[in-house]
Amino acid sequence: MNSYLDFYQHLGFSLSLLVLLTFLLAGTVKGVIGLGLPTVSMGLLGLAMLPPQAAALLLVPSTVTNLWQLAFGGALRALVRRLWPMLVLIVLGTGLGTWWLGLGAGHSMTRALGAALLLYALSGLLLPPLRMPAGWEHWLGPLCGLLTGMVTAATGVFVIPAVPYLQALGLQRNELVQALGLSFTVSTLALGAGLFWRGAVGNAELGASFLALLPALAGMLLGQWLRQIISAVVFKRVFFIGLGLLGLHLLIAG
């Protein structure tokens, strides 16, 4: 336990508070709209630390909350049968991206993170509901998986292009939420494996990530409560606007 706390002592009080509040907010967003924990946490933590450090803190909260999301919906077996080519390519793409690009520590990776956030926000705000033509799924799914894995390896964000692709499949709401949980779980585990391979995650980082799980779970519970009293559509619009501004800041400032 001391080694876990040593990590936060090394960060200092202000940065540790930022970590806890970030995961509380990120969990709240995920509780309301079913996604957003990795994007919010990577974006806000990217303001104060390098992407590999932020991604290491993300591993446990993202894995546990995605497994939580994955457990409900009743369509897991059917979704695995349908989406396995995409999921396999996410793993391969993340591995290839880790070997080729890696989650670097320079300003270019911070700008890449900003670009990914901005692109995701613009797609959420501007793109109309997509419907994929019949016959495209067999090749577009693996392609989206490969690209998602590459983006994950470079930025720690695994929503582009996986989320627009899954939304275009015409799934029922509960199926879509479960499909997103499945995709995010595979992406998080693949990212974690890449970070371990590059030596970016040790016992201290993993322990600190376990502690970050507490505010993330509290945020999810808060978000699920808020979902009953606020408009999810309005909340999602505000989320994308805020995410876009954050991505633009990271892209410009680096």
Side-chain angles (χ1 to χ4, degrees):
M1 183 67 179
N2 287 338
S3 63
Y4 306 161
L5 295 178
D6 286 345
F7 183 89
Y8 286 102
Q9 289 173 351
H10 177 71
L11 289 181
F13 175 78
S14 297
L15 195 51
S16 297
L17 183 61
L18 172 65
V19 171
L20 297 178
L21 292 178
T22 292
F23 280 105
L24 179 64
L25 175 61
T28 302
V29 171
K30 187 176 181 69
V32 175
I33 63 176
L35 50 85
L37 190 145
T39 47
V40 171
S41 55
M42 285 296 296
L44 290 177
L45 294 179
L47 295 171
M49 61 180 65
L50 295 172
Q53 193 175 27
L57 290 172
L58 168 70
L59 293 179
V60 175
S62 181
T63 300
V64 173
T65 56
N66 286 325
L67 287 173
W68 182 354
Q69 180 175 336
L70 183 61
F72 301 97
L76 179 58
R77 184 173 298 180
L79 288 171
V80 171
R81 285 200 302 266
R82 181 174 184 178
L83 300 177
W84 72 263
M86 172 189 171
L87 301 176
V88 170
L89 266 293
I90 286 176
V91 175
L92 293 178
T94 305
L96 178 61
T98 300
W99 171 75
W100 181 31
L101 299 171
L103 193 62
H107 293 296
S108 60
M109 289 299 102
T110 302
R111 293 191 181 98
L113 171 60
L117 296 178
L118 180 59
L119 180 62
Y120 177 47
L122 291 176
S123 68
L125 286 169
L126 302 178
L127 284 182
L130 301 176
R131 285 294 179 268
M132 188 171 55
W136 283 25
E137 186 174 345
H138 73 280
W139 63 266
L140 188 57
L143 177 60
C144 286
L146 180 65
L147 294 176
T148 298
M150 297 287 286
V151 173
T152 298
T155 67
V157 173
F158 31 80
V159 293
I160 293 293
V163 171
Y165 169 77
L166 292 173
Q167 290 172 334
L169 292 179
L171 300 171
Q172 298 296 323
R173 185 179 184 279
N174 288 340
E175 290 180 323
L176 176 59
V177 170
Q178 197 168 26
L180 290 171
L182 180 60
S183 175
F184 295 163
T185 298
V186 171
S187 295
T188 302
L189 295 176
L191 174 63
L195 290 172
F196 274 107
W197 180 71
R198 293 181 66 89
V201 177
N203 290 335
E205 289 82 7
L206 195 59
S209 185
F210 268 105
L211 292 181
L213 173 63
L214 298 177
L217 291 177
M220 277 197 72
L221 292 173
L222 175 61
Q224 289 174 348
W225 174 74
L226 287 174
R227 188 167 56 192
Q228 309 304 317
I229 60 175
I230 64 174
S231 168
V233 174
V234 173
F235 187 92
K236 185 178 291 188
R237 187 175 297 118
V238 172
F239 162 68
F240 280 125
I241 291 173
L243 195 66
L245 293 174
L246 178 59
L248 184 62
H249 173 76
L250 291 172
L251 182 61
I252 294 174

